[in-house]
Amino acid sequence: MASQVGRRARYIAETRKLWVGKLGKTITRQTLKRYFEKFGPVSSSVVMHDSRTGRPVRYGFVTFDKIEDTAQALAARKTVIHGSKVLVRPVKPKKAKIPREPKKDDTYGFKGFAAGQQQQQQQEQSD
């Protein structure tokens, strides 16, 4: 339990984005933005929808301009939007992918039919 609290504190210190769950069916991205603007400027808000039906799937995301505002929103005891008590969690930041240096004969994991034939021919020539 203590490790989860430490992890959550680290995410709060690193992220400006919040996951908001258990949203009411009538909540729009504008409603979400208006509610969270009381903690600070909101750069974006989105309510997720089912791609087939177009209906809201009852969660969304809010991104603040400043990390401090994210911490204030998480510190709020009760978050009620249009009569629905919602869950608010920090979003774990994605790690930046560092491109690696390609090796001389690197195929990036793809060894199609031609690459396999070429290796086989090289082995036969060296024998």
Side-chain angles (χ1 to χ4, degrees):
M1 182 78 156
S3 65
Q4 286 181 346
V5 172
R7 236 183 280 149
R8 184 173 181 186
R10 186 177 65 229
Y11 296 157
I12 293 168
E14 296 174 356
T15 188
R16 296 178 304 122
K17 192 172 193 176
L18 297 176
W19 173 85
V20 186
K22 296 182 106 177
L23 293 174
K25 294 177 183 179
T26 60
I27 295 176
T28 64
R29 70 178 191 83
Q30 292 87 0
T31 308
L32 204 57
K33 184 175 183 176
R34 258 186 267 121
Y35 176 82
F36 282 98
E37 280 180 332
K38 68 182 178 183
F39 301 107
V42 173
S43 58
S44 71
S45 63
V46 64
V47 174
M48 303 306 290
H49 290 81
D50 183 299
S51 60
R52 284 186 300 121
T53 64
R55 293 181 183 167
V57 288
R58 303 192 61 179
Y59 74 91
F61 298 94
V62 175
T63 305
F64 287 94
D65 288 343
K66 298 179 184 174
I67 291 173
E68 298 82 25
D69 300 334
T70 307
Q72 285 182 350
L74 285 166
R77 285 282 180 210
K78 291 183 180 179
T79 306
V80 180
I81 305 173
H82 282 258
S84 298
K85 185 177 179 186
V86 299
L87 300 174
V88 180
R89 304 277 188 267
V91 173
K92 181 179 177 181
K94 292 181 180 180
K95 292 182 181 179
K97 292 184 179 180
I98 301 171
R100 63 180 179 86
E101 291 291 324
K103 296 178 185 173
K104 184 179 177 182
D105 61 343
D106 199 353
T107 59
Y108 292 100
F110 176 74
K111 296 181 181 181
F113 178 74
Q117 276 190 328
Q118 190 176 27
Q119 286 178 347
Q120 187 178 13
Q121 289 173 355
Q122 288 173 353
Q123 286 176 352
E124 289 173 359
Q125 289 175 357
S126 64
D127 290 339

